[in-house]
Amino acid sequence: EIQILDLPGLIVGASKGRGRGREVISAVRSVDLLLLMIDAFNLEHLALIEQELHLAGVRLNQKKPDVVITKKAYGGIVINSTVPLTHLNELHIKSIASEFVINADITLREDLTEDQLIDAFTQNRVYISALVVVNKTDLVPADLVKQTISLLHQKRWDVCAISAKNKENLEHLREQIFLHLRLIRVYMKPIGKKADFVQPMILKEGQTVADACRHIHRDFHRNFRYASVWGPSAKHAGQKVGLEHVLQDQDVLTIVVTK
């Protein structure tokens, strides 16, 4: 089951508390997916919403910067990089880092911008998947809707155009919500019994057998022996796997533990 929260709209200044903006953004920070609802004839509202969320430390459709920051007692700031850097040099990185740490080993594992590096040091950033929902398509010509979607795609937004009034394209929206939540369904199969295809275990994309064990009970992880998998992630039916095996949507899983 997916819980949907209908939040009040954000206005300019919401990040500073205007229009109870801090309360709304506080709720936003805890969600798994953000649907940005705009009218087909008010596209400029999207940029305003994104700006207010950005000012409040919410990063949409971005991943957390791949930086390892290890604080130490002495030795100053030491910079390492595993990839070529095109936006920053060592002096620039040290200048930014000195605002947050005195002694630390900093390893950059991707080509970061200045803003991304600052985000890596700041502890209040949240990274949320977002989907733009263009509503009221029944009030504008079809060619304008296509033009709007194309424009948003160029700005790297994922878009779903609907008419809530006429209930048009709502099924597609349901599919997009599920895909953007990056959920997978894992059907548990007790030893010697049939798999439960009615109530699957819900995990996140990329999670492993270890996560499935912890989802059931911590003893399953502690007493784990092996697991058997049928489905998309298995090389063959009933493949024996360990805790590190990455599960996929609609896998069937049996977990064997010591008694």
Side-chain angles (χ1 to χ4, degrees):
E1 294 183 352
I2 297 171
Q3 182 184 34
I4 297 178
L5 303 178
D6 183 12
L7 298 174
L10 292 178
I11 62 175
V12 175
S15 58
K16 298 179 180 179
R18 188 179 175 193
R20 301 182 69 179
R22 287 198 177 98
E23 295 176 38
V24 177
I25 293 173
S26 177
V28 167
R29 293 172 66 90
S30 65
V31 304
D32 297 304
L33 173 64
L34 190 60
L35 300 181
L36 302 177
M37 297 286 296
I38 61 172
D39 295 342
F41 38 81
N42 284 320
L43 290 186
E44 69 278 4
H45 290 175
L46 180 59
L48 297 175
I49 293 171
E50 183 183 19
Q51 180 182 12
E52 292 300 326
L53 291 173
H54 187 88
L55 290 172
V58 178
R59 302 293 180 258
L60 301 180
N61 293 336
Q62 297 181 30
K63 61 177 183 173
K64 190 175 182 179
D66 194 356
V67 182
V68 177
I69 303 169
T70 305
K71 294 182 180 180
K72 54 188 182 181
Y74 55 87
I77 297 174
V78 178
I79 308 299
N80 299 293
S81 175
T82 61
V83 297
L85 301 177
T86 61
H87 304 290
L88 300 168
N89 56 41
E90 183 172 337
L91 185 62
H92 197 179
I93 296 171
K94 284 187 176 181
S95 176
I96 294 172
S98 64
E99 298 291 327
F100 301 92
V101 295
I102 299 175
N103 302 294
D105 290 330
I106 302 171
T107 302
L108 282 71
R109 294 178 174 174
E110 62 176 313
D111 187 16
L112 300 179
T113 64
E114 179 179 335
D115 287 342
Q116 288 175 310
L117 182 60
I118 293 172
D119 284 347
F121 282 102
T122 307
Q123 299 299 313
N124 68 340
R125 305 297 193 241
V126 293
Y127 299 83
I128 302 174
S129 178
L131 172 64
V132 176
V133 182
V134 180
N135 191 22
K136 301 183 181 179
T137 56
D138 53 296
L139 299 180
V140 296
D143 57 340
L144 181 58
V145 173
K146 291 182 180 180
Q147 182 180 343
T148 298
I149 294 174
S150 176
L151 178 63
L152 293 174
H153 280 161
Q154 290 175 19
K155 295 181 179 181
R156 298 184 178 181
W157 287 107
D158 291 331
V159 187
C160 184
I162 67 168
S163 169
K165 178 182 178 181
N166 296 339
K167 298 184 179 181
E168 294 175 356
N169 220 24
L170 297 187
E171 190 59 36
H172 178 62
L173 175 59
R174 286 161 57 91
E175 294 172 358
Q176 289 300 307
I177 289 173
F178 181 82
L179 290 173
H180 281 76
L181 283 171
R182 298 176 61 233
L183 300 175
I184 62 172
R185 296 156 292 186
V186 177
Y187 303 105
M188 301 305 298
K189 181 182 182 302
I191 299 174
K193 298 182 180 180
K194 294 183 179 180
D196 181 3
F197 291 105
V198 178
Q199 292 184 316
M201 176 185 294
I202 305 299
L203 298 174
K204 284 282 190 179
E205 186 179 296
Q207 289 193 306
T208 63
V209 172
D211 295 305
C213 289
R214 285 189 286 264
H215 193 80
I216 299 171
H217 195 278
R218 60 187 177 186
D219 286 346
F220 272 71
H221 185 269
R222 183 165 50 239
N223 300 326
F224 178 83
R225 286 179 57 197
Y226 67 89
S228 298
V229 179
W230 296 258
S233 75
K235 295 180 179 178
H236 55 81
Q239 178 189 357
K240 285 189 177 181
V241 297
L243 289 169
E244 72 286 349
H245 180 80
V246 178
L247 297 166
Q248 295 184 28
D249 187 35
Q250 300 194 53
D251 272 346
V252 175
L253 176 66
T254 295
I255 298 174
V256 180
V257 297
T258 56
K259 295 183 180 180

